[in-house]
Amino acid sequence: MSAGSSPGLTHFGADGAARMVDVSAKPVSRRAATACARVVMRPETLALIRDGRARKGDVLAVARIAGILAAKRTPDLIPLCHALALSAAEIGFAFAPPDTLEITAEVRTDGQTGVEMEALTAVGIAALTVYDMVKSADRGLRITDIHLRRKSGGASGEFVAP
């Protein structure tokens, strides 16, 4: 913890003001994070996506590109995030019939701070893109369970969600 920070809340200084964390003294290490989300919909909507019959086009291809772009643009969306040179951002999809699309985002870098926010942002934007692509077929679609599945690297080491 650097001088002037509050214990446990690194984005606040001793005076309570928000601040970007100073990572300049941290060593560079390989870092990775995987985040997940679920998109729950009517079975007919899941079939539209799976079979490539959505009116707006290839839902998964567009959501994949949106997720990758979101990972790269995370510091533009979340004010105190550091701009990172990402080594990789991968978006994956799995169908969980009868009504769920599972989305994963894995992000990697060699840097002084982790990529958890980039992975979470990527999976969230990919899920929102799925919603946008099929909302005319299913306004009741729900985005749920956005969470960090695992992270590695840095001083805190490995985290795997229970």
Side-chain angles (χ1 to χ4, degrees), residues 37-57:
R38 296 169 51 93
V39 185
V40 182
M41 61 197 81
R42 295 182 308 122
E44 299 81 11
T45 308
L46 189 66
L48 283 175
I49 295 169
R50 184 193 62 231
D51 300 341
R53 294 182 290 117
R55 285 192 355 213
K56 287 188 175 183

Side-chain angles (χ1 to χ4, degrees), residues 6-128:
S6 301
L9 299 175
T10 59
H11 284 87
F12 294 96
D15 62 355
R19 66 183 178 94
M20 180 182 253
V21 174
D22 181 355
V23 297
S24 60
K26 291 172 115 181
V28 171
S29 68
R30 178 145 299 152
R31 296 162 183 270
T34 302
C36 305
R38 296 169 51 93
V39 185
V40 182
M41 61 197 81
R42 295 182 308 122
E44 299 81 11
T45 308
L46 189 66
L48 283 175
I49 295 169
R50 184 193 62 231
D51 300 341
R53 294 182 290 117
R55 285 192 355 213
K56 287 188 175 183
D58 188 338
V59 173
L60 301 183
V62 175
R64 178 175 282 116
I65 296 297
I68 292 167
L69 179 59
K72 293 166 49 173
R73 301 294 300 260
T74 298
D76 294 333
L77 300 168
I78 301 176
L80 299 177
C81 283
H82 291 83
L84 302 175
L86 302 181
S87 303
E90 299 171 5
I91 310 297
F93 303 97
F95 293 99
D99 61 357
T100 302
L101 176 67
E102 296 173 347
I103 305 173
T104 59
E106 183 175 348
V107 180
R108 293 184 296 278
T109 193
D110 290 324
Q112 294 169 296
T113 190
V115 288
E116 297 91 348
M117 295 311 301
E118 287 74 9
L120 288 162
T121 301
V123 79
I125 294 299
L128 287 168

Side-chain angles (χ1 to χ4, degrees), residues 26 29 31-32 113-114 116 148 151-160:
K26 291 172 115 181
S29 68
R31 296 162 183 270
T113 190
E116 297 91 348
L148 182 67
K151 75 91 159 168
S152 62
S156 63
E158 185 85 13
F159 166 81
V160 178

